[in-house]
Amino acid sequence: MNEKQNYITMLHGAGGAVMNQLVKDYILEFLGGSKAEVPLEALDDAAVIDGIVLKSDSHAVKPIFFPGGDIGRLAVSGTVNDIAVLGAKPIALACGLILEEGLPIADLERILRSMKETCGEAEVHIITGDTKVVEKGSLGGCVINVSGIGLRSEKLDHNFEVIRKFRPDFKAKWILDSNLHSGDKIIVSGTIGDHGLAVLSAQEGLSFGSQIKSDVKPLNKLVEKLLEVGGIVAMKDPTRGGLSNALNELSEKSKVGILVYEEKVPVRNDVKAACEMLGIDPFEVGNEGKLVIGVIPEKAEEVLEILRQTEEGKDAEIIGEVTKEFELVAMQTVVGGKRILTPPVGDPIPRIC
Ligand code: MG
């Protein structure tokens, strides 16, 4: 994997170990070096500079319409969620549209309407942007970049006050991947793998008996409710590379181990069956409306209860805990053994976001 390649391959964009290596070897090498509070080098969901949370995310999902969503909803949700998981309140978005010659105007309208609706759910506006058109090629209709800024809120300050009641030496100012501590509980907000399988079914014209729908959704309102409870130390949206990649990032950056109980991880039966049929691991498949949450043990049950009162969090589970006994992700399997959950090479499904 450390062997350098001469050309970009699809795996370089698949959100796993190969992409992470590309980012470290090239992006950080050339573009790192800022003095930002949370810099590029943190490789967190978003950056922080002068109190402003900043994020940019491009979306090249294929096809642009899929069960449960479309590229517009995905583009707004993706950026809103990356800002929200640092604990920030999204303030404004910018949108770069790259349209392919031949895209039906009706499709553009459908995408923009969806973006407007998703912005409404997230209570944020797109206030600047840019539109370009390229010759017919391989875009599949369009590519959309959404960037955004967020600010800290009283709810985030409250969250940290709650943590410091139990852990007086807790110093972080943002909810970061590097904040996990031995004893913290890991919660997943709902079933995993839905988004990737929904996009795959649209790509390949597959049907899995029942229609699997994407979970794509802005989660900033849900995050606010969790901050009101307090005790959230780390949080990620498990997108490309799925739950497995998100847990490995948390473990690596926090320098702790995570023990996961396989039987606790919620997976829909149809997703499980489709993954078995296709030979892919639902733990490695991307999600667009889920949270992986690290919470202090004293608040874990309360956070779980609040999640379960919401539509998007009704299947939430405490799936594991943080330990200092090892520094990797281990899974207690349903058959009783333990296996190491390694970071995936890449998401098994291409162009899901
Ligand atoms: Mg993210």
Side-chain angles (χ1 to χ4, degrees):
M1 205 176 303
N2 287 328
E3 207 174 292
K4 292 203 175 176
Q5 287 171 312
N6 291 324
Y7 300 95
I8 291 295
T9 70
M10 289 304 285
L11 262 183
H12 285 120
V18 174
M19 190 178 93
N20 294 343
Q21 201 62 47
L22 177 85
V23 169
K24 284 175 188 162
D25 288 348
Y26 295 96
I27 313 287
L28 294 189
E29 182 69 24
F30 286 94
L31 305 180
S34 80
K35 296 270 189 296
E37 186 182 341
V38 178
L40 189 60
E41 286 82 350
L43 298 176
D44 215 306
D45 297 87
V48 184
I49 185 160
D50 293 341
I52 295 167
V53 174
L54 176 64
K55 175 64 188 181
S56 183
D57 204 341
S58 296
H59 294 269
V61 64
K62 190 173 99 176
I64 54 177
F65 301 105
F66 48 84
D70 58 77
I71 191 169
R73 181 167 179 79
L74 191 59
V76 171
S77 301
T79 297
V80 163
N81 292 347
D82 277 341
I83 292 170
V85 294
L86 264 79
K89 180 182 168 63
I91 298 299
L93 303 178
C95 172
L97 289 174
I98 301 176
L99 308 176
E100 195 175 62
E101 184 183 22
L103 175 74
I105 291 291
D107 285 359
L108 178 63
E109 262 187 40
R110 190 174 157 193
I111 291 163
L112 294 174
R113 191 171 300 117
S114 173
M115 292 181 86
K116 182 182 169 159
E117 279 169 16
T118 313
C119 283
E121 277 175 56
E123 293 180 23
V124 66
H125 276 90
I126 291 170
I127 58 165
T128 186
D130 167 68
T131 304
K132 298 274 171 19
V133 178
V134 297
E135 298 87 348
K136 209 170 176 58
S138 67
L139 291 193
C142 64
V143 166
I144 302 181
N145 174 281
V146 172
S147 301
I149 53 170
L151 294 175
R152 69 183 310 117
S153 64
E154 283 173 13
K155 286 172 184 165
L156 181 61
D157 292 334
H158 167 76
N159 176 67
F160 290 133
E161 277 163 27
V162 171
I163 295 172
R164 281 192 291 267
K165 263 189 226 164
F166 299 95
R167 199 175 290 166
D169 59 344
F170 186 87
K171 295 216 168 56
K173 291 188 185 133
W174 299 93
I175 298 174
L176 300 177
D177 295 351
S178 53
N179 289 350
L180 284 181
H181 188 274
S182 178
D184 289 339
K185 300 289 182 189
I186 303 292
I187 295 177
V188 68
S189 68
T191 55
I192 60 162
D194 307 7
H195 174 74
L197 268 291
V199 174
L200 181 69
S201 72
Q203 284 175 352
E204 304 293 335
L206 297 171
S207 87
F208 300 120
S210 57
Q211 191 179 53
I212 298 170
K213 282 191 181 155
S214 168
D215 56 0
V216 55
K217 189 175 180 63
L219 297 169
N220 54 319
K221 295 284 148 189
L222 180 65
V223 169
E224 278 183 18
K225 286 187 187 149
L226 305 182
L227 297 179
E228 282 170 17
V229 177
I232 314 293
V233 295
M235 189 155 46
K236 293 196 81 59
D237 53 339
T239 53
R240 280 173 301 178
L243 180 63
S244 189
N245 195 59
L247 292 172
N248 272 283
E249 278 195 49
L250 289 165
S251 159
E252 190 189 323
K253 292 179 202 169
S254 292
K255 300 187 171 56
V256 292
I258 298 176
L259 179 62
V260 179
Y261 301 100
E262 187 177 21
E263 59 177 12
K264 291 285 181 191
V265 178
V267 188
R268 284 169 54 112
N269 284 335
D270 51 5
V271 168
K272 206 179 280 178
C275 283
E276 273 169 21
M277 185 179 83
L278 297 163
I280 55 183
D281 181 352
F283 280 66
E284 298 185 355
V285 175
N287 313 275
E288 293 290 343
K290 296 290 154 38
L291 297 170
V292 178
I293 306 156
V295 55
I296 57 171
E298 295 85 352
K299 285 290 180 179
E301 288 295 336
E302 215 178 315
V303 168
L304 183 67
E305 204 173 303
I306 293 293
L307 275 166
R308 284 183 174 169
Q309 286 169 15
T310 64
E311 178 55 30
E312 60 269 50
K314 65 181 191 301
D315 298 316
E317 291 282 356
I318 296 175
I319 61 159
E321 61 220 8
V322 178
T323 170
K324 56 182 180 219
E325 280 170 31
F326 46 83
E327 282 191 16
L328 43 77
V329 184
M331 185 159 74
Q332 182 87 49
T333 65
V334 281
V335 290
K338 244 185 221 160
R339 74 174 172 95
I340 295 170
L341 207 60
T342 52
V345 174
D347 196 301
I349 305 166
R351 285 184 69 172
I352 58 161
C353 62

